[in-house]
Amino acid sequence: MIETVRMAEMSWPEFAERVKHDPVVFVPCGAFEQHGPHLPLSVDILLPTGVCEAVAQRTQGMVAPALNYGYKSMPKTGGGPHFPGTLNLDGATLSASVRDIVRELYRHEIRKICFIVGHYENQWFVTEGIDLAMRELGPSALRVMRLEYWDFFPPELTDKVFPGTHPGIMLEHAAIMETSCMMHLHPELVRVDLIPDNPPADFPPYDVWPAHKEWVPSSGALTSAKAATAEKGRLMMEHYARAIAEAAQGEFG
Ligand SMILES: [Zn+2]
């Protein structure tokens, strides 16, 4: 039997045994948000969970249960809250949840934690939660990392993944990267016949409240996802696993 990396599949004695080896605990930070007509609402949970599991396998780490809700979907990065099914947390709720998770893992002798964010809008609230926990714990042996997995996108894959006219990673919501990674990790959840092919959104350099729904392509994808393939997903996911494992090993030893 292959040892699981998922804490959710361990009994308490198994967890306690693993903790003795001072593992890194990876925490996927997701969101429940629309991802076009072709992808499920859980993409931002499933992708960082997949990254965490692959990295944990390479580093003898463990994966904590994912945060399934995230900070508010913004029109320019996630399409916005007006799409049916998008469920958001207030920033303070998310920060408090992250703070509590750090505190709880620390109480159980975990000293290395890595938050892997899969939803752009989460990043500062996850940062705040980690910082509140560090302040509360005071000087300790605890070390924490936080990262957005797409920041590890390798420039050498740009031409291979994004066709010439594609605006690239800035408008990557429900587009080529997320669709390809889902085709690789969870092909059964991708409605291939519904993959959108709309032109890129053209956003001004500011936000407004109430949001202008007409800024956002009606599909919910911020640009065409037509060029997505499972092979691109495999290349990206393998690179993320390798590069993030290397970064975690560099920090945590
Ligand atoms: Zn997403």
Side-chain angles (χ1 to χ4, degrees), residues 36-191:
H38 62 308
L39 296 174
L41 295 160
S42 56
V43 167
D44 286 357
I45 304 162
L46 295 172
L47 293 182
T49 297
V51 173
C52 283
E53 289 179 358
V55 175
Q57 276 152 7
R58 285 168 175 267
T59 57
Q60 283 80 52
M62 297 196 285
V63 180
L67 275 157
N68 285 344
Y69 298 87
Y71 183 64
K72 292 159 192 164
S73 179
M74 297 291 288
K76 287 161 59 182
T77 41
H82 62 279
F83 282 91
T86 293
L87 307 179
N88 299 316
L89 295 182
D90 284 353
T93 312
L94 176 56
S95 296
S97 303
V98 169
R99 182 201 59 202
D100 290 1
I101 290 166
V102 173
R103 203 155 54 182
E104 283 295 277
L105 289 171
Y106 183 80
R107 191 169 67 81
H108 290 294
E109 313 287 334
I110 298 295
R111 295 295 179 264
K112 302 167 181 172
I113 305 172
C114 179
F115 286 88
I116 297 190
V117 175
H119 170 69
Y120 182 84
E121 292 86 333
N122 278 352
Q123 47 192 312
W124 289 107
F125 299 99
V126 172
T127 299
E128 171 71 352
I130 295 167
D131 194 68
L132 292 176
M134 296 305 280
R135 190 170 70 186
E136 185 181 309
L137 292 170
S140 78
L142 176 66
R143 281 175 295 153
V144 184
M145 279 176 89
R146 194 224 80 231
L147 61 93
E148 285 73 54
Y149 69 84
W150 54 80
D151 283 343
F152 287 77
F153 184 87
E156 64 271 21
L157 280 187
T158 304
D159 291 344
K160 209 169 213 158
V161 172
F162 300 113
T165 52
H166 189 270
I169 207 131
M170 279 315 294
L171 290 180
E172 261 308 317
H173 177 78
I176 294 173
M177 190 188 78
E178 288 185 317
T179 305
S180 298
C181 291
M182 284 296 291
M183 288 168 120
H184 168 60
L185 279 186
H186 298 284
E188 74 287 358
L189 296 178
V190 182
R191 285 71 154 175

